[in-house]
Amino acid sequence: MLFVVGCGAAPVAAERAGAPPGPPVVDPEGEPAPPQPPPKDGRAALNTEYFLGSEAEEQAQFAEFARRIQELQKESSRSREQPLQRGFHAKSHACLRGLLHLERARDPRTRYGVFADGQPERAVIVRFSNGVGWKQSDVALDARGMAVKVLGVPGPKYLPDEPSTQDFLMTNSPTPVGRDAVEFMEFARANASGRVAELFFTVGHASTGALALSRTNPVDSMVTEQYWSGGAYHLGAHQAVKVTARPCDPALARHPDRSSPDYLRKDLAEAAHGGICMRLFVQIQADPELTPIENASRPWDPAVAPPLPVARVLLPPQEVPADAASTDACDAMAFSPWHSIPAHKPMGHINRARRYVYAASQDARRATPTRGPE
Ligand code: HEM
């Protein structure tokens, strides 16, 4: 059963008073509607999540995925002789501090949640990472992650461990591997055992991961990449969006010496000396088929859902300490799409599963659960 910490069961949609039946009017400030049973005619509606099967089936599936991720963590730790760490994104390049600074001229449709009027700046911590659940050289094929934790965000949260944060997790592929968490977890198993190529070529539906897997080449720098949320999120209870971040200067180029297995950390430390600026955009769902919520492997074409700038992530000049204590502190943090207020509630099967899988991964890697950063 899903629960909302501190959120009442507020009604999410009301019929237009006295009007003929039509689409329900959704209160943007309310609690978003829960997922619906699968549509009988197979046609999805805008801003709507659908259970994969039934709610009970999903809950059983998610419990199984949580168990499986812990198994993979233990297996990776044993076979690679590394400490038990994140099920994915184990290697931190650095955690940097800065500000989320709202764009003054942002589209009125984007002014919800942390992008609402009233507080133009909030503190953030940004963790840059590699994708796999173990530490390996930065030249190995892999996805890259940028996780933004916005601090000082009031309002009810879906998870009890951090009372005032809003996280945005992104990787450098427009889509994740898999249309839903079932396919993603098959990938997770194949990835951990080094069978990705086999999965890629032999399992028909793994083609849904083709775009993500094609973007795993080594990168020049963490600060020249574009990052995407992959899954959909609410932006106010009445809209669905995807989030993307790219360098404020689209022409920014960096040419690091790749001879070190940790060249991305070194490059990030150098970039941080001069300050880093990433620009955050949202794409508003435009069409239930062309920009679907329940099939995360279909990219949202910017021609259909144009990216609207909402904020800058400003990381002022700072040192990236290379000592073990600072790396440990960065590793000990917990990011989750479910560190969220209702205005940014995660959507879609792939995101619903993450509520349980991230918690399981965090439990497994922490001797004692840690608190939030504030
Ligand atoms: C939908 C697109 C997805 C994106 C953009 C994404 C992105 C990320 C990022 C950036 C991190 C690192 C967070 C940090 O810095 O601590 C992360 C961690 C993780 N991801 Fe995902 N992810 C996605 C889907 C999934 C799915 C579907 C699963 C499994 C069902 C999954 C499992 C994990 C796990 C287990 C961790 C480590 C959690 C921890 O121990 O803190 N991810 N993900």
Side-chain angles (χ1 to χ4, degrees):
M1 180 68 193
L2 304 180
F3 65 95
V4 177
V5 178
C7 268
V12 288
E15 293 298 325
R16 283 194 187 92
V25 178
V26 178
D27 170 10
E29 308 294 342
E31 168 60 21
Q36 306 295 305
K40 290 210 169 67
D41 60 2
R43 293 170 63 180
L46 262 184
N47 190 40
T48 307
E49 296 184 77
Y50 296 99
F51 287 119
L52 189 61
S54 68
E55 182 173 8
E57 282 164 336
E58 277 199 1
Q59 289 299 303
Q61 229 173 27
F62 298 159
E64 171 59 18
F65 294 165
R67 197 188 57 73
R68 259 198 257 162
I69 202 80
Q70 293 188 335
E71 233 174 61
L72 291 178
Q73 286 172 282
K74 285 182 207 146
E75 234 174 79
S76 274
S77 164
R78 255 195 317 269
S79 64
R80 296 184 168 84
E81 298 182 346
Q82 295 185 7
L84 205 148
Q85 50 204 330
R86 281 170 168 76
F88 278 95
H89 295 267
K91 183 173 178 178
S92 306
H93 304 302
C95 286
L96 301 176
R97 286 195 174 254
L99 289 174
L100 181 81
H101 180 87
L102 300 188
E103 300 275 355
R104 210 171 294 152
R106 64 203 184 285
D107 189 299
R109 290 171 297 165
T110 67
R111 295 176 184 233
Y112 294 94
V114 298
F115 310 126
D117 294 336
Q119 192 165 339
E121 270 184 0
R122 284 195 168 87
V124 292
I125 300 176
V126 181
R127 178 175 181 267
F128 289 102
S129 59
N130 281 353
V132 292
W134 56 89
K135 300 209 164 76
Q136 64 179 15
S137 165
D138 296 340
V139 293
L141 296 187
D142 205 352
R144 319 289 155 179
M146 174 181 171
V148 180
K149 187 177 286 298
V150 187
L151 308 181
V153 180
K157 305 291 181 310
Y158 293 97
L159 298 178
D161 62 333
E162 295 190 6
S164 49
T165 56
Q166 170 65 51
D167 294 356
F168 295 101
L169 278 67
M170 294 166 277
T171 64
N172 64 338
S173 167
T175 57
V177 183
R179 56 180 289 131
D180 53 34
V182 176
E183 291 191 9
F184 186 94
M185 288 304 292
E186 285 179 31
F187 160 76
R189 151 81 38 209
N191 185 48
S193 56
R195 290 189 299 105
V196 175
E198 185 190 320
L199 180 80
F200 192 44
F201 290 113
T202 59
V203 184
H205 67 234
S207 61
T208 58
L211 179 58
L213 292 175
S214 71
R215 299 184 66 98
T216 52
N217 286 332
V219 298
D220 284 335
S221 169
M222 298 306 290
V223 301
T224 52
E225 286 296 286
Q226 180 166 0
Y227 299 88
W228 290 264
S229 65
Y233 292 81
H234 279 285
L235 184 55
H238 62 311
Q239 304 183 110
V241 299
K242 288 195 178 185
V243 180
T244 179
R246 57 179 186 239
C248 295
D249 172 4
L252 184 70
R254 297 186 61 83
H255 306 287
D257 167 7
R258 294 188 182 186
S259 58
S260 158
D262 304 319
Y263 76 90
L264 287 174
R265 179 187 181 83
K266 288 180 195 224
D267 175 77
L268 192 55
E270 265 178 45
H273 271 153
I276 294 165
C277 176
M278 303 290 289
R279 206 164 179 213
L280 216 56
F281 299 79
V282 297
Q283 293 179 276
I284 300 178
Q285 189 190 27
D287 177 281
E289 302 298 326
L290 298 177
T291 50
I293 290 167
E294 296 296 345
N295 176 3
S297 61
R298 174 154 192 169
W300 285 17
D301 183 346
V304 177
L308 306 170
V310 285
R312 280 164 201 257
V313 177
L314 300 172
L315 307 173
Q318 57 195 284
E319 282 297 315
V320 172
D323 60 283
S326 92
T327 311
D328 289 352
C330 185
D331 283 350
M333 291 182 65
F335 291 80
S336 167
W338 288 90
H339 284 144
S340 177
I341 54 175
H344 298 294
K345 186 180 182 190
M347 302 182 83
H349 185 268
I350 204 155
N351 273 339
R352 292 194 292 278
R354 292 167 80 191
R355 179 170 183 158
Y356 305 95
V357 176
Y358 282 55
S361 166
Q362 287 155 16
D363 282 353
R365 69 183 167 87
R366 288 168 155 179
T368 48
T370 42
R371 297 292 71 160
E374 291 173 282

